[in-house]
Amino acid sequence: MVGARVVALAEESAEVELLVALAEKQKAFNKRLAATLARVNGVGDGLQIEMGPVYNDTQGLQVVTTNAEKLLDELQKQTRPLEGRGDEERTIHEGPSRVGVQTYIASLGRAEQKLQNLNSTNFRINREAMAELGNLLAYGRQQLQDYFEQLLREDAHVIEPLNFITKQITFPGITTLKINELAELNSFLAPPTTRVAAQDGPPSVRVYANVRSPYISGSLQNLAAASISTSRKKSQDIVYRQGTSGIGTYASGMEGMFLAEWRNITIIFQRDLWSIVFETTSRQALYEFSTTLRDLGQQIRSSITTDCFLAYEIVDIVTRLAIRIDSQTGQLKQQLIDAVKPVRDVAKASIGELLDDIRRRIGTMITISNDGAALPITTEVMTRLQTLVLYPQPLSSILTSLGDGNWSNAGGSNSSTTSLPSTKSFDVGADGNQLLAHYVLDSIEILLSNLESTAKKLVRSKAVLGVFMANNVAVIDRMIRSSDIQSLLTSTNSPNKVDGWRKKATGTYLDAWREPCAMLMDVQYTNRGARPPSGSNAIDSSAIIKGLSSKDKDALKEKFKSFNISFEGLSAKHKEMAQNMEKEVRSQLARDIQAMIEPLYARFWDRYHEVDKGRNKYVRYDKSALSMQLASMG
């Protein structure tokens, strides 16, 4: 045990000694290392002093390098829009007809986007490229605009509207394939910013109007010329007949052309452009239409009493046209009403002029036929009135604007002529018909009153005056009954003033027959002798004559004699005038004379015919002979 412990202690002592030796060596090494470190620190301090400025310079260069790299990256980013410019140039220079509208517009869109990107950089280096792109875009837009115009011109050949009107064919528009292509072109040529900036619309609007406006006016040119030529008369005395003028066909052609154009416009252009495009495109055709109407108005004014009906027809046609176009487009109503204004003014002036013409022409008469025949002016005036009532719509509007009875103010300038019509303008109700009926009756009243006053100055015989007025009244009445005037007067419950004039004329004529009637009066004898019972036919003429004195008998003979002379004279004059009497007048006057003479003569003859004792010296007519004589007058 002791030996083992000694051995262990010896080993531990050896290890301790080894560790001490190693510690000594480490200590010596540390001293050497500390000396070396001191030397190195000294060298490092020197190097730090020497390399400090170099380090600072290096740091600055690193910042500069970083900034340069960023700048280069930005430059590359900004010049990137120029990439592919060559492809866009080739596409744009080839034109839309070759590459297709969609491809061409897409290429222009990309080029425009590149230009916007370059504009946002504001680099001087990009200015040349920006100018080139701007010129390229301008060239491309012009190419599109030219192609837009080219497509329009392909379908802008002048047509003959009459062919479509007579065959009742819808007026042609732009073909479907082209109209879709035009709509696509317009969507690029008329962006919203351009539509707001330009008062007269974007370039596509001007191009469209420049092409389609001459197409419309050129197509309507023949109808305009035909309207003038068909409205001219060979004789100034001929009254215009409804439908003679070609103005109705002209209006139909214009309506067809305008509505076809409206359909084109609503497909090609955006809604906010419809109005300006339609108005601009139709402007030239409307101007020529206005010129035509103005020429017609002057032509009508030169022979207003016979051509005023053409004015009424034009007002009616154009007003209806304005309402129909407005109902489908909402446009052109005011322009059309302005166009017809000169003709409407002439139509208004004619209302008073027709009445003045009656007064003027009757006032210049110097003779009246001895047989009292009706005057041609009566037929002419009634023909006018018959024609007049064929235009209730325009006349209702005109007469309403004048006011009931204000016919003489028709030429005044204070009345409105530019009021816009509506669908109510064509609802000729009680008021419109009533005014027209009043005007017709006033015209007849002026005609008859002026005929009467002039006839009284020129004719001394009441018989001739009565027949003259009766004949004219008969013509008037017949022409009323055979035309729409009758239905107009009936529908408005207008008083029949003609009956009053007929009675007056008959009374005037019958005044001449009062002379023979006076010869048949025997009031002075009614209280002499016994009178026969009332209603008795048993009259003894011989007994009555026997009861008379010689003086009374002579008086009776004189009465029969005077009656014969007066009756025969009036009968001869009546038969002479009857040759030119109107049929109605002849029969009516014969009945009135018979009703006036026959009862008186029959009574007188029954009582006193025996005064002649059957010798026919004084009593030439028995009752049957007189009745036959009276009947022969009709």
Side-chain angles (χ1 to χ4, degrees):
M1 291 290 294
V2 176
R5 185 177 294 176
V6 171
V7 174
L9 290 172
E11 289 177 357
E12 292 176 355
S13 176
E15 288 178 0
V16 169
E17 288 177 358
L18 179 60
L19 290 171
V20 171
L22 289 173
E24 287 296 329
K25 287 182 181 181
Q26 184 65 38
K27 185 176 180 182
F29 177 75
N30 289 338
K31 287 182 180 179
R32 290 194 302 273
L33 184 60
T36 302
L37 182 59
R39 288 194 301 271
V40 170
N41 286 336
V43 174
D45 291 339
L47 287 174
Q48 185 175 6
I49 293 171
E50 294 294 333
M51 295 301 295
V54 175
Y55 176 79
N56 292 334
D57 292 340
T58 302
Q59 289 292 103
L61 289 174
Q62 288 179 344
V63 173
V64 170
T65 301
T66 302
N67 291 338
E69 290 175 350
K70 291 180 179 180
L71 178 60
L72 289 174
D73 290 340
E74 188 65 27
L75 287 174
Q76 289 178 356
K77 187 186 298 183
Q78 297 300 332
T79 56
R80 195 170 300 150
L82 297 175
E83 295 176 1
R85 188 178 66 177
D87 295 336
E88 310 302 350
E89 287 180 353
R90 283 190 298 272
T91 300
I92 291 173
H93 282 293
E94 284 185 12
S97 59
R98 290 187 177 182
V99 302
V101 173
Q102 291 183 347
T103 302
Y104 198 83
I105 290 177
S107 179
L108 282 176
R110 291 191 296 270
E112 189 169 6
Q113 185 61 46
K114 294 178 187 298
L115 181 59
Q116 290 177 359
N117 293 337
L118 289 176
N119 281 330
S120 64
T121 64
N122 201 24
F123 287 158
R124 185 178 301 174
I125 192 174
N126 289 336
R127 289 181 180 177
E128 183 177 354
M130 290 165 57
E132 292 177 358
L133 269 178
N135 293 334
L136 183 64
L137 283 171
Y139 174 79
R141 290 193 186 95
Q142 187 61 46
Q143 285 285 92
L144 276 183
Q145 188 170 313
D146 293 344
Y147 187 59
F148 186 81
E149 182 175 353
Q150 177 187 335
L151 291 177
L152 287 173
R153 291 196 181 281
E154 289 175 0
D155 277 358
H157 302 294
V158 172
I159 64 173
E160 182 51 62
L162 190 59
N163 179 52
F164 298 91
I165 296 172
T166 54
K167 296 181 179 179
Q168 297 183 346
I169 304 173
T170 303
F171 279 71
I174 300 173
T175 58
T176 303
L177 182 62
K178 288 180 182 176
I179 205 169
N180 292 333
E181 204 168 8
L182 288 167
E184 194 170 3
L185 287 169
N186 175 72
S187 64
F188 183 84
L189 294 173
T193 53
T194 306
R195 300 203 298 271
V196 173
Q199 293 181 354
D200 55 348
S204 58
V205 173
R206 295 189 293 273
V207 172
Y208 187 92
N210 289 340
V211 174
R212 300 297 291 182
S213 183
Y215 158 73
I216 297 174
S217 58
S219 298
L220 295 173
Q221 186 175 5
N222 290 338
L223 294 182
S227 298
I228 297 293
S229 61
T230 55
S231 299
R232 294 194 182 100
K233 299 184 303 182
K234 295 181 179 179
S235 173
Q236 293 297 320
D237 298 332
I238 299 176
V239 176
Y240 174 79
R241 288 188 300 107
Q242 191 175 30
T244 303
S245 173
I247 189 65
T249 306
Y250 188 9
S252 297
M254 177 174 288
E255 180 179 5
M257 297 291 291
F258 280 0
L259 293 182
E261 210 58 42
W262 176 257
R263 291 191 292 271
N264 294 337
I265 291 169
T266 55
I267 297 174
I268 295 174
F269 295 92
Q270 298 86 342
R271 179 178 290 274
D272 59 333
L273 290 177
W274 290 356
S275 175
I276 186 172
V277 178
F278 190 49
E279 182 179 347
T280 306
T281 304
S282 58
R283 188 175 297 159
Q284 183 176 346
L286 283 173
Y287 173 77
E288 293 175 0
F289 185 61
S290 300
T291 302
T292 301
L293 293 183
R294 186 166 56 250
D295 293 342
L296 286 174
Q298 294 174 354
Q299 177 180 317
I300 294 168
R301 192 179 291 276
S302 64
S303 52
I304 192 169
T305 56
T306 55
D307 282 354
C308 59
F309 311 105
L310 174 57
Y312 308 148
E313 182 173 304
I314 292 173
V315 171
D316 188 25
I317 289 171
V318 177
T319 306
R320 291 177 182 273
L321 173 66
I323 290 177
R324 287 196 302 271
I325 291 180
D326 179 71
S327 66
Q328 297 194 46
T329 68
Q331 306 295 323
L332 303 186
K333 180 189 284 188
Q334 183 63 59
Q335 292 89 326
L336 287 168
I337 297 306
D338 290 342
V340 80
K341 184 180 181 297
V343 179
R344 182 179 172 86
D345 289 343
V346 175
K348 291 185 70 173
S350 71
I351 299 299
E353 181 61 29
L354 290 176
L355 303 181
D356 292 340
D357 180 68
I358 295 173
R359 299 184 185 98
R360 184 167 53 248
R361 291 179 61 187
I362 295 177
T364 57
M365 289 193 314
I366 57 176
T367 58
I368 289 177
S369 175
N370 292 329
D371 57 9
L375 293 178
I377 188 174
T378 302
T379 303
E380 293 174 14
V381 170
M382 291 308 299
T383 301
R384 286 183 194 170
L385 294 178
Q386 286 179 334
T387 310
L388 194 78
V389 298
L390 299 178
Y391 304 94
Q393 286 84 6
L395 283 170
S396 173
S397 173
I398 291 171
L399 295 175
T400 300
S401 67
L402 292 173
D404 195 359
N406 294 328
W407 323 130
S408 59
N409 297 327
S413 59
N414 294 331
S415 55
S416 173
T417 59
T418 58
S419 58
L420 291 179
S422 64
T423 53
K424 292 183 179 180
S425 302
F426 298 97
D427 181 15
V428 185
D431 291 341
N433 279 334
Q434 197 75 45
L435 288 174
L436 183 55
H438 288 178
Y439 181 76
V440 169
L441 291 175
D442 285 353
S443 299
I444 294 173
E445 185 72 20
I446 289 173
L447 170 64
L448 289 173
S449 60
N450 279 268
L451 285 174
E452 182 185 48
S453 61
T454 301
K456 285 180 178 179
K457 299 176 184 176
L458 300 177
V459 177
R460 293 182 180 180
S461 169
K462 280 193 173 184
V464 175
L465 176 61
V467 170
F468 172 75
M469 292 303 298
N471 280 331
N472 284 284
V473 169
V475 171
I476 292 170
D477 186 61
R478 184 169 60 246
M479 296 185 74
I480 287 176
R481 296 179 185 278
S482 62
S483 67
D484 292 336
I485 297 177
Q486 179 65 44
S487 58
L488 173 68
L489 298 181
T490 303
S491 65
T492 55
N493 296 321
S494 299
N496 192 347
K497 296 182 179 181
V498 176
D499 285 343
W501 280 100
R502 183 188 294 109
K503 292 177 182 178
K504 186 176 182 181
T506 301
T508 301
Y509 179 73
L510 293 179
D511 280 347
W513 288 85
R514 297 188 186 282
E515 181 180 343
C517 289
M519 306 301 173
L520 303 176
M521 299 298 178
D522 61 339
V523 178
Q524 65 271 30
Y525 304 120
T526 57
N527 60 353
R528 296 186 180 181
R531 298 183 62 185
S534 176
S536 173
N537 292 325
I539 299 177
D540 189 351
S541 178
S542 298
I544 294 174
I545 294 299
K546 287 180 181 180
L548 297 178
S549 65
S550 298
K551 183 178 179 181
D552 291 337
K553 292 178 182 179
D554 291 340
L556 285 173
K557 292 177 182 179
E558 188 62 31
K559 280 181 175 290
F560 274 110
K561 181 179 179 180
S562 298
F563 171 81
N564 294 335
I565 294 172
S566 177
F567 176 75
E568 290 171 357
L570 289 172
S571 296
K573 181 65 175 177
H574 178 87
K575 291 180 180 179
E576 179 184 346
M577 291 189 296
Q579 296 177 5
N580 289 320
M581 279 185 192
E582 300 298 323
K583 181 180 178 181
E584 306 94 311
V585 174
R586 185 167 59 249
S587 59
Q588 181 62 47
L589 290 181
R591 288 194 299 270
D592 291 339
I593 294 170
Q594 190 168 13
M596 183 178 183
I597 296 292
E598 191 170 21
L600 291 175
Y601 189 81
R603 176 184 174 280
F604 198 79
W605 186 90
D606 284 341
R607 293 176 63 81
Y608 307 117
H609 68 276
E610 286 297 332
V611 74
D612 197 26
K613 298 180 180 181
R615 292 175 295 180
N616 295 331
K617 181 177 181 181
Y618 301 107
V619 183
R620 293 183 184 178
Y621 306 98
D622 60 15
K623 291 189 291 184
S624 61
L626 183 73
S627 180
M628 292 176 61
Q629 182 73 10
L630 291 172
S632 67
M633 293 183 180

